[in-house]
């Protein structure tokens, strides 16, 4: 079964697998087989959270304190690589991860802020800074809570205040100055974002 009872994220990948992060590790489920990655054994760090699949099929995961994990599957073998401050990350306390069509990693953290990283093409992988954006000012203030890509290849990110960040094909992040209107009787802060094939974006609220 799963390594833990609390599920933080679920990701369906192009190869038909399902990846799940829990408080006690990461699981990969495919064709009835469950591969479990446990902290201190298969995983070098704990507290994996958000998941996203890169164009090359690698799965990336954020962690609460220790930066990023890259999970690559070859047959039944899963190779785990950790990336932290020493590898170019400006922060290691990450909250969310969205990967755009060009394979750039867009990372957000709890205190609010966004930075993009380019992944080099060698076996170890090399992270290089691409762009950053402060999310301290209205209407985009607050932590990045979710992201998605529309049919035009535009990446959209939602902030905890209900704001939006738009990232174009060149990888330039811009705060959208027209905030999402509040739902009557509902608090404004967002908690999730889904972008459908027709380009429609849906923002979820906590309550």
């Amino acid at each position: 079964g799963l390594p833990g009872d609390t599920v933080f994220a679920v990701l369906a990948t192009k190869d038909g697998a399902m990846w799940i992060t829990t408080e006690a590790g990461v699981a990969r489920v495919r064709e009835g087989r469950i591969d479990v990655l446990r902290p201190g054994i298969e995983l070098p760090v704990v507290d994996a959270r958000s998941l996203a699949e890169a164009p090359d099929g690698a799965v990336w995961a954020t962690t609460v304190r220790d930066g990023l994990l890259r999970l690559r599957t070859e047959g039944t073998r899963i190779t785990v690589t950790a990336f932290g401050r020493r590898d170019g990350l400006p922060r290691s306390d990450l909250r969310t991860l969205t990967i755009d069509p060009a394979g750039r990693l867009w990372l957000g953290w709890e205190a609010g802020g966004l930075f993009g990283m380019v992944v080099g093409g060698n076996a170890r992988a090399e992270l290089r800074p691409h762009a950053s954006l402060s999310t301290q000012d209205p209407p985009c203030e607050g932590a990045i809570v979710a992201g998605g890509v529309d049919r035009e290849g535009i990446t959209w990110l939602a902030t905890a205040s209900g704001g939006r960040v738009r990232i174009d094909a060149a990888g330039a992040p811009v705060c959208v100055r027209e905030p999402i209107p509040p739902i009557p009787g509902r608090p404004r802060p967002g908690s999730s974002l889904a972008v459908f094939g027709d380009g429609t974006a849906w923002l979820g609220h906590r309550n």
Side-chain angles (χ1 to χ4, degrees):
L2 298 179
D5 296 325
T6 302
V7 173
F8 297 118
V10 178
L11 172 70
T13 51
K14 295 189 292 288
D15 64 357
M18 182 178 296
W19 292 80
I20 303 165
T21 56
T22 76
E23 87 285 0
V26 179
R28 179 181 184 266
V29 183
R30 188 172 188 268
E31 297 179 348
R33 174 190 174 100
I34 302 178
D35 295 303
V36 174
L37 307 176
R38 293 155 293 185
I41 304 176
E42 297 88 359
L43 294 177
V45 299
V46 298
D47 294 329
R49 290 294 191 269
S50 297
L51 293 164
E53 183 180 16
D56 65 358
V59 173
W60 291 78
T62 63
T63 71
V64 175
R65 294 183 295 271
D66 299 298
L68 281 172
L69 296 174
R70 184 182 65 168
L71 311 169
R72 296 183 68 91
T73 303
E74 298 178 4
T76 60
R77 180 185 178 188
I78 301 174
T79 302
V80 182
T81 308
F83 298 85
R85 296 289 296 271
R86 69 184 184 280
D87 302 299
L89 288 178
R91 297 183 68 104
S92 57
D93 54 332
L94 304 176
R95 173 171 175 166
T96 57
L97 166 64
T98 303
I99 300 180
D100 68 21
R104 291 177 287 254
L105 312 180
W106 295 95
L107 304 161
W109 58 92
E110 192 68 36
L114 172 72
F115 57 86
M117 306 294 293
V118 175
V119 182
N122 54 51
R124 171 64 175 82
E126 176 186 353
L127 298 180
R128 301 189 303 273
H130 173 72
S132 63
L133 179 71
S134 171
T135 57
Q136 302 294 327
D137 301 316
C140 289
E141 73 274 20
I144 302 293
V145 295
V149 180
D150 68 20
R151 62 181 177 181
E152 305 296 332
I154 303 300
T155 301
W156 294 91
L157 306 174
T159 71
S161 66
R164 292 170 294 169
V165 175
R166 180 184 186 274
I167 303 171
D168 62 20
V174 177
C175 176
V176 177
R177 291 300 172 185
E178 298 78 20
I180 299 172
I183 300 173
R186 297 285 185 178
R188 169 172 239 172
S191 60
S192 60
L193 174 72
V195 181
F196 290 86
D198 63 356
T200 303
W202 291 82
L203 178 68
H205 290 254
R206 288 188 178 89
N207 296 309

